[in-house]
Amino acid sequence: MEELIGLELNGTKGYFYVTVDGKKESKMTFVFAGDDTIIIDHTVVNPGNNGKGYGKKMVTKAVEYAREKNIKIIPLCPFAKSVFDKIPEFRDVL
């Protein structure tokens, strides 16, 4: 089983995703708010994948991206917000 956590950008929006054996199993969408902030607005995990940690892996990827690009994250998505609430080490990008 090959798992990949990736990022797709399309102008002022994009999404983080998890693929397993080439099939997208989860997606977390965001939009840019100016040049230095992204707003995470939605997370979806395909049925049968709950509890596999895909959501947390996408938030982790978003945090890595924010640190690399020196940008901030506004987690409007309730799931993403809950991950930030549980992991204090991620709050530097808020």
Side-chain angles (χ1 to χ4, degrees):
M1 181 172 83
E2 184 184 359
E3 186 178 287
L4 171 73
I5 298 96
L7 165 64
E8 188 80 30
L9 293 172
N10 185 10
T12 59
K13 47 188 170 175
Y15 60 91
F16 297 93
Y17 61 89
V18 176
T19 61
V20 178
D21 295 332
K23 181 177 184 261
K24 273 195 185 116
E25 295 292 351
S26 61
K27 186 173 173 178
M28 185 175 71
T29 60
F30 66 88
V31 295
F32 279 92
D35 294 331
D36 60 356
T37 304
I38 62 171
I39 299 171
I40 297 174
D41 53 10
H42 187 66
T43 302
V44 64
V45 176
N46 290 352
N49 289 309
N50 291 347
K52 293 185 179 178
Y54 294 163
K56 183 179 175 188
K57 289 176 182 181
M58 291 185 295
V59 172
T60 301
K61 187 80 166 177
V63 169
E64 290 168 0
Y65 177 75
R67 287 174 178 157
E68 178 186 309
K69 300 294 184 184
N70 198 28
I71 61 176
K72 295 295 183 184
I73 296 174
I74 299 172
L76 288 187
C77 164
F79 174 81
K81 184 180 179 330
S82 75
V83 174
F84 279 100
D85 289 346
K86 291 176 192 159
I87 304 177
E89 298 81 26
F90 285 178
R91 294 187 193 145
D92 61 303
V93 298
L94 296 178

